[in-house]
Amino acid sequence: MMQGRSGEEVTMERMLPPARMPVPQAEFRCNSVTLTASEITPMPAASSSRSSSDAAEKNRPLVEDIRLLGRILGDVIREQEGKDAFELIERVRKLSVAYRLKSDAQAGRALDKLLKNLSGDQTVSVIRAFSYFSHLANIAEDRHHVRRRDHHERQGHLQEGSLAMSLERLSEAGIRASDVAQTLAHAYISPVLTAHPTEVQRKSILDAERAIAELVEQRETRPTERDRDENEALIRARVTQLWQTRMLRTAKLTVSDEIENALSYYHATFLRQVPRLYREIEAALPGHEIASFFRMGNWIGGDRDGNPFVTADTLRMALARQSETVLRFYLTEVHELGAELSISQTLAPVTPQMRALAEASPDQNPHREDEPYRRALIGVYARLAATLHELTGTEALRHAVAPQNAYRASAEFLADLRVVEASLVSHHAEALARPRLRPLMRAAQVFGFHLATVDLRQSSDKHEAVIAELLKVAKIEPAYSSLAEDQRRALLLRLLNDARPLRVRAASYSEHAQSELAIFETALVMLQRYGRDALRHYIISHTEEVSDLLEVLLLLKEVGLVRGTLDDHAETDLIVVPLFETIGDLRNAAPIMQAFYAMGGITDMMKRSGGEQDIMLGYSDSNKDGGTFTSNWELYRAEIALVELFGALGREHGLTLRLFHGRGGTVGRGGGPSYQAILAQPPGTVNGQIRLTEQGEVIASKYAHPEIGRRNLETLVAATLEATLLHPTKSAPKAFLDAAAAISDASYAAYRKLVYETPGFTDYFFSATPIREIAELNIGSRPASRKASRAIEDLRAIPWGFSWGQCRVALPGWCGFGSAIEQLLADPKTRKERLALLQRMHKQWPFFRALMSNLDMVIAKSDLGIAARYVELVEDKRLGKRIFALIQAEWRRTDEALSLITGEKERLASNPSLARSIEHRFPYLDPLNHLQVELMRRYRQRRDGDASMERVRRGIHISINGVAAGLRNTG
């Protein structure tokens, strides 16, 4: 994922050595690639400025880390693959650098000839080498980012997107600390981890890379040569492990695998960094109690939309494994806390409550008779161990006493910890509470015994099928699906006012109906077992009518998740969340919700059930449906309409609206810097409430490193505070809104004309991108397409975007905008005035400015020269040339439009560090793309029984992994 602003998601491009950095000529062997410093960063002239020298000094640690990792990897490849393989890789690298950075056409022809003539084994070796360039470079760059952030903090420099900067701005605006604390008391901020069909990295690879990252960090505290030699030996061991670990999975990911992958980020980052984030907020707002406003969410194990492998069993598994993860964390922390709190009551008298907690402990060891904290914590440990067994069926690793007296809820565990804290404070030992006890208390508040809130999700047509079957078997309505919408509403409302269940005893139901109802029944049991926060939301994909919401309420009522009837004190345990995905759905979002709340009993039920209404907005499908500008504009309009509707509902009934943003990694799926994206939301739409998805490789790039993970969490909080407390309350000027609407209409027409109306475009897409090969990869439990067809409408938005990214077109991130601006400026009489308006919009309107920034970045990241190679794979050569010419023309129009609006002739002119990073990263991605094309050609022309094709297939899949790792995003 390539971002364009400082203080944002930590990504590889920003952390490469800046251009013109005066470093000595030295070899950087990166992923078996020997880089000279002058090739990464041209040597400056003698008159180079002091700033260049400063940049060199700032980035010297990064250069040293890259040199170290590259040298080690080069040695490993020489050792493992031999001298010939190493020299081949080196030759490929030199030709690629000459072709890309020096525009050497002869080198390009030589590179093309060399790559086409590689054997299968040589190809795989080269692909692995260049893939690992990205992997190790990312490690070095991530470390350097943390290093620079630490430096700025020590110097007292505030950075965009940091909590310190946001609080400073709030203070300057006259907003008091008490106001901030009050806002947080009513806030709900939640990143939601999801698994998707383009999640490439194996957990084994991620674990090895985490180990390397930790070792690189440790080098800075190893002063002696002997220590550093030992550290280097450990890094070499892990790099050897990487090289000898297969990149690809031999079997498709299961839902269980995806659950474990997600849990690894809790071990690495969330369990410790979320409490640390709270601690920083408390330090910034002294004297104010900070509510637990930050929550983690999870889709894995509960998201059934298009994934037949998610069942009631996987839901049980997800919640049990989450509970086990957090309880084992608590057990470890309580054990360590007991070791630390060796306080004798003969030296420090404890509170009566603490004495009672110690007396209640089953620990009778005479050696601890005067150590009340240890006795009490052994009792706490025993209760946690019993809780672990009761909730998950597993056992604690150590027992001073037998597990007993399980906690009924996490609140009881927290209450015991508060007794310990109060007693420590009473005898001037508060210092002992700060390092471990208070972070543990905050963890208990945030994670409970459930760890993260699991969302349930299913498509509306699946609910309809179950309702239709239930009504037919019960002889209530033989043909529910044929009813008109008003008839459906009336029938569903009547049934929601009927206390009787729909199911008929001893009747037989289809496998689909039984499976769906089992999910609802399991959800009821899981809520009772793990607590109210374990399950909060039921998301309805493809919400198109009010009846889609009522159907789910009726299914919830069928199993007891809705209690009572709408006309008699109904309450719901789950918030029914519509997901508006397509352009048409977004336009209908507010009218649907208005009609829903106008139905008798709905508003009262929601008030009794907590007064919260989540609404999810889909960025991916709306983009695939109408292009990036129209998608963003329709999302903007939908949010404004929903805020107006719930503003009235809030004033009259006290209801709170929370928008859930289904953002992906790429710009074409709503990706881009989270900080700018949140600040670009329409006035009044954040209001301290936000959920957003974190998907695919973005999770690894943002949260694999603990420090970087905390910074990214901090950014969400900072942006939410600014958007809530500093955001203008007035709408954008009418002229801005009218212009955006006109751009959207024209962009939509241009995008639809190319993607959906151009004859042969679908054939082109399936030939000129690796979509077919991606579908064969074992990279996700969910199928790449919703239906067994080649229709783009049925293809999931994620592999759609992933495929365009692999071939370096990135079409979903920019298509349609250039034609729209060309049309807007077509009239010479109004051109000057309209261009001036666009330029004002860019300067004054956060929404438009963020869109232009993302377009600027995605155009800079795309490479039509590389994309042209993929056109060779289209069997119908005339078709390939014709459609690629249309793509090229639209790309140029978009590039020219950006130059006109921003006043910048070159892409990323306002972000030179990112521009340089892209420029110097691409030579090491180019060979992967060239080889991917060559292998795809061989694979698609294969003959039955050709044993060499398995190696070719493996090479294609490794190249997909390498490009994804290099770009640090998917789909």
Side-chain angles (χ1 to χ4, degrees):
M1 173 177 175
M2 297 186 177
Q3 307 293 4
R5 300 291 180 198
S6 63
E8 237 322 292
E9 280 90 351
V10 181
T11 55
M12 64 185 180
E13 297 81 13
R14 205 172 35 221
M15 294 176 279
L16 282 171
R20 307 193 181 282
M21 187 172 66
V23 297
Q25 282 287 86
E27 287 190 343
F28 301 166
R29 294 193 183 96
C30 298
N31 285 11
S32 78
V33 179
T34 306
L35 259 67
T36 64
S38 60
E39 287 173 336
I40 288 188
T41 52
M43 294 294 287
S47 59
S48 62
S49 66
R50 180 180 176 182
S51 62
S52 295
S53 298
D54 290 343
E57 189 57 35
K58 289 176 183 176
N59 288 280
R60 191 172 302 282
L62 170 60
V63 171
E64 291 173 352
D65 286 345
I66 290 177
R67 179 185 292 131
L68 171 72
L69 294 173
R71 173 172 56 79
I72 291 173
L73 183 57
D75 292 344
V76 168
I77 290 176
R78 230 191 243 104
E79 175 186 77
Q80 302 292 323
E81 303 294 314
K83 181 180 177 183
D84 291 345
F86 179 82
E87 290 179 350
L88 171 64
I89 291 163
E90 181 67 357
R91 187 180 174 200
V92 171
R93 182 200 64 78
K94 286 181 177 178
L95 289 171
S96 184
V97 169
Y99 179 56
R100 166 68 68 167
L101 295 184
K102 301 175 183 178
S103 301
D104 185 338
Q106 185 175 349
R109 289 190 293 272
L111 177 65
D112 187 42
K113 183 178 179 181
L114 174 62
L115 296 178
K116 283 185 176 180
N117 288 295
L118 294 180
S119 69
D121 286 340
Q122 288 175 320
T123 299
V124 171
S125 182
V126 171
I127 287 173
R128 293 187 75 220
F130 279 88
S131 295
Y132 277 122
F133 168 80
S134 299
H135 288 252
L136 292 187
N138 291 344
I139 290 171
E141 292 159 359
D142 284 353
R143 176 61 204 146
H144 193 61
H145 179 84
V146 173
R147 185 186 291 125
R148 295 306 304 166
R149 279 294 288 260
D150 289 345
H151 171 78
H152 286 301
E153 286 191 356
R154 287 193 299 270
Q155 299 296 316
H157 302 155
L158 301 181
Q159 292 191 298
E160 188 83 3
S162 69
L163 191 61
M165 171 69 85
S166 295
L167 292 175
E168 179 77 11
R169 287 176 175 164
L170 293 171
S171 177
E172 291 174 354
I175 297 171
R176 299 169 301 176
S178 59
D179 297 327
V180 178
Q182 183 67 13
T183 298
L184 293 176
H186 297 94
Y188 190 99
I189 303 173
S190 178
V192 181
L193 305 190
T194 72
H196 277 281
T198 55
E199 194 162 7
V200 173
Q201 297 284 35
R202 286 187 67 206
K203 185 175 181 297
S204 298
I205 298 291
L206 290 173
D207 289 344
E209 291 177 358
R210 282 195 191 107
I212 293 171
E214 290 173 3
L215 289 166
V216 170
E217 181 179 356
Q218 290 169 12
R219 287 184 68 79
E220 297 180 24
T221 60
R222 299 295 176 92
T224 69
E225 184 175 349
R226 178 180 177 181
D227 286 342
R228 293 172 75 82
D229 287 345
E230 289 179 357
N231 175 270
E232 182 174 326
L234 291 172
I235 295 175
R236 186 181 303 274
R238 289 290 164 249
V239 172
T240 301
Q241 176 192 347
L242 270 184
W243 190 256
Q244 294 191 352
T245 299
R246 55 181 165 79
M247 279 188 173
L248 303 177
R249 302 180 181 93
T250 55
K252 198 169 185 63
L253 270 182
T254 64
V255 179
S256 175
D257 295 328
E258 290 172 336
I259 290 168
E260 295 306 318
N261 285 349
L263 291 176
S264 70
Y265 294 99
Y266 286 88
H267 294 296
T269 298
F270 298 125
L271 283 167
R272 296 193 185 279
Q273 296 302 320
V274 169
R276 186 176 170 189
L277 173 64
Y278 275 102
R279 186 173 65 198
E280 292 184 357
I281 297 171
E282 289 168 341
L285 303 172
H288 297 281
E289 184 176 349
I290 304 302
S292 292
F293 63 90
F294 195 94
R295 293 284 192 273
M296 294 301 301
N298 177 36
W299 272 17
I300 308 166
D303 179 12
R304 314 195 300 291
D305 181 18
N307 193 339
F309 305 109
V310 175
T311 64
D313 288 339
T314 60
L315 178 60
R316 279 190 289 268
M317 180 199 311
L319 284 163
R321 284 293 296 121
Q322 286 186 185
S323 182
E324 182 181 353
T325 296
V326 73
L327 284 168
R328 290 194 184 280
F329 172 74
Y330 295 158
L331 284 162
T332 299
E333 292 300 289
V334 167
H335 176 75
E336 296 296 334
L337 194 59
E340 294 169 4
L341 300 186
S342 55
I343 299 162
S344 171
Q345 65 186 13
T346 63
L347 299 173
V350 299
T351 62
Q353 293 84 357
M354 184 66 225
R355 192 178 305 112
L357 186 62
E359 292 298 326
S361 171
D363 179 32
Q364 300 298 322
N365 191 312
H367 297 295
R368 291 188 286 266
E369 187 176 351
D370 68 328
E371 297 175 342
Y373 290 100
R374 284 183 165 173
R375 291 171 57 207
L377 289 169
I378 286 172
V380 169
Y381 188 98
R383 296 192 70 183
L384 282 173
T387 307
L388 175 70
H389 180 76
E390 188 171 293
L391 293 183
T392 72
T394 61
E395 301 295 335
L397 296 179
R398 54 176 75 87
H399 299 297
V401 296
Q404 53 196 283
N405 190 22
Y407 287 112
R408 290 171 297 177
S410 60
E412 292 184 356
F413 170 52
L414 179 60
D416 284 350
L417 296 180
R418 283 180 168 149
V419 168
V420 176
E421 180 200 33
S423 183
L424 288 172
V425 172
S426 74
H427 55 75
H428 310 294
E430 185 175 3
L432 288 170
R434 291 193 184 104
R436 192 181 303 274
L437 175 60
R438 284 182 177 161
L440 178 58
M441 292 170 62
R442 182 62 76 173
Q445 289 176 297
V446 173
F447 301 114
F449 288 163
H450 65 286
L451 186 68
T453 298
V454 176
D455 288 358
L456 303 179
R457 183 171 79 131
Q458 181 58 289
S459 179
S460 59
D461 61 309
K462 303 298 183 183
H463 302 137
E464 178 187 329
V466 176
I467 291 293
E469 184 174 346
L470 289 173
L471 297 182
K472 183 176 181 180
V473 172
K475 299 188 182 301
I476 295 173
E477 171 53 59
Y480 172 79
S481 294
S482 65
L483 296 179
E485 173 62 16
D486 59 341
Q487 293 174 308
R488 291 190 186 195
R489 293 185 194 181
L491 174 58
L492 294 168
L493 194 61
R494 175 167 63 83
L495 294 171
L496 285 166
N497 285 322
D498 189 333
R500 293 169 295 180
L502 293 175
R503 279 177 289 186
V504 178
R505 287 188 178 184
S508 61
Y509 292 95
S510 68
E511 183 179 343
H512 170 68
Q514 292 181 60
S515 176
E516 289 297 305
L517 287 167
I519 286 280
F520 289 88
E521 290 169 335
T522 300
L524 178 63
V525 175
M526 296 299 99
L527 273 175
Q528 294 166 347
R529 177 176 298 175
Y530 297 108
R532 178 67 185 85
D533 288 327
L535 296 162
R536 286 174 56 93
H537 310 97
Y538 193 105
I539 299 166
I540 308 170
S541 299
H542 309 109
T543 300
E544 298 171 350
E545 301 285 355
V546 172
S547 60
D548 294 331
L549 298 165
L550 297 176
E551 286 166 0
V552 172
L553 283 176
L554 189 56
L555 291 172
L556 293 175
K557 172 179 168 288
E558 183 68 15
V559 302
L561 286 164
V562 166
R563 297 177 302 285
T565 58
L566 285 182
D567 58 1
D568 187 15
H569 297 90
E571 290 185 46
T572 176
D573 287 329
L574 299 182
I575 302 170
V576 175
V577 183
L579 168 50
F580 299 109
E581 299 175 86
T582 67
I583 299 300
D585 294 343
L586 290 169
R587 290 171 178 169
N588 290 329
I592 286 173
M593 296 311 296
Q594 184 173 28
F596 177 63
Y597 273 89
M599 303 201 77
I602 295 294
T603 301
D604 288 339
M605 178 187 70
M606 296 306 294
K607 285 168 62 177
R608 283 190 293 269
S609 305
E612 298 174 304
Q613 176 65 64
D614 292 69
I615 295 176
M616 187 170 183
L617 304 174
Y619 288 65
S620 305
D621 282 285
S622 59
N623 179 285
K624 186 164 71 76
D625 189 24
T628 187
F629 191 92
T630 299
S631 170
N632 279 277
W633 174 240
E634 292 297 342
L635 285 159
Y636 190 91
R637 291 182 61 208
E639 289 181 48
I640 290 175
L642 288 167
V643 165
E644 290 178 355
L645 170 63
F646 279 89
L649 288 171
R651 288 188 295 273
E652 189 172 349
H653 302 289
L655 297 178
T656 297
L657 170 66
R658 182 184 303 114
L659 294 177
F660 183 9
H661 300 269
R663 304 173 74 230
T666 59
V667 169
R669 296 191 49 246
S674 294
Y675 181 74
Q676 279 78 16
I678 293 173
L679 292 184
Q681 296 302 306
T685 57
V686 177
N687 199 28
Q689 308 287 317
I690 192 166
R691 300 182 87 217
L692 69 166
T693 53
E694 302 282 26
Q695 302 180 358
E697 303 304 296
V698 174
I699 298 174
S701 67
K702 290 172 69 172
Y703 300 117
H705 188 288
E707 183 73 14
I708 291 171
R710 183 173 54 81
R711 299 294 188 186
N712 282 308
L713 297 175
E714 178 184 331
T715 291
L716 296 180
V717 178
T720 302
L721 284 174
E722 288 190 44
T724 301
L725 296 171
L726 290 179
H727 207 290
T729 55
K730 292 183 179 179
S731 174
K734 185 176 184 300
F736 288 9
L737 299 174
D738 290 345
I743 295 169
S744 176
D745 289 343
S747 179
Y748 180 81
Y751 175 85
R752 297 284 302 188
K753 181 179 180 181
L754 175 62
V755 173
Y756 291 101
E757 299 168 16
T758 299
F761 187 88
T762 298
D763 291 335
Y764 175 90
F765 169 68
F766 276 89
S767 297
T769 76
I771 180 63
R772 286 187 269 173
E773 290 72 19
I774 287 169
E776 295 179 5
L777 263 172
N778 295 314
I779 55 177
S781 67
R782 185 192 308 275
S785 185
R786 288 188 169 94
K787 299 177 182 177
S789 79
R790 280 166 53 96
I792 291 173
E793 292 88 342
D794 294 330
L795 188 70
R796 288 191 171 277
I798 301 159
W800 161 258
F802 188 60
S803 300
W804 286 114
Q806 282 282 313
C807 66
R808 308 284 280 278
V809 176
L811 181 140
W814 53 265
C815 184
F817 180 73
S819 289
I821 298 302
E822 183 179 76
Q823 181 176 324
L824 190 71
L825 302 179
D827 188 345
K829 296 179 182 178
T830 60
R831 179 182 174 87
K832 184 176 180 180
E833 178 185 348
R834 288 183 172 180
L835 179 57
L837 173 63
L838 292 172
Q839 291 169 342
R840 286 201 307 277
M841 291 165 64
H842 177 247
K843 291 179 180 178
Q844 300 173 15
W845 192 12
F847 165 77
F848 194 74
R849 185 167 59 250
L851 256 176
M852 294 306 98
S853 176
N854 284 337
L855 280 168
D856 188 36
M857 181 270 289
V858 79
I859 286 289
K861 188 174 69 171
S862 61
D863 188 317
L864 295 192
I866 293 293
R869 298 298 308 275
Y870 287 80
V871 181
E872 300 169 9
L873 297 170
V874 182
E875 292 184 12
D876 185 336
K877 301 304 178 186
R878 293 181 63 185
L879 173 70
K881 290 180 180 178
R882 175 171 60 84
I883 292 183
F884 187 63
L886 295 174
I887 292 172
Q888 283 180 306
E890 182 61 23
W891 186 95
R892 292 192 185 101
R893 282 190 286 266
T894 301
D895 185 49
E896 291 167 5
L898 283 168
S899 295
L900 287 171
I901 293 169
T902 65
E904 298 168 350
K905 298 300 181 185
E906 300 293 330
R907 297 283 60 82
L908 297 175
S910 60
N911 196 338
S913 63
L914 177 56
R916 287 192 298 267
S917 298
I918 289 175
E919 177 186 1
H920 293 293
R921 175 68 62 153
F922 277 8
Y924 307 101
L925 287 177
D926 290 353
L928 293 173
N929 285 110
H930 286 297
L931 286 170
Q932 189 178 92
V933 171
E934 177 58 30
L935 292 182
M936 286 167 62
R937 186 198 324 276
R938 296 181 195 178
Y939 189 64
R940 291 177 181 183
Q941 294 174 355
R942 68 188 181 276
R943 296 177 180 176
D944 291 340
D946 187 343
S948 67
M949 283 301 105
E950 180 55 35
R951 187 183 293 109
V952 170
R953 179 174 171 272
R954 178 168 166 252
I956 294 170
H957 291 171
I958 294 174
S959 74
I960 291 171
N961 181 299
V963 172
L967 298 178
R968 287 191 108 172
N969 65 4
T970 56

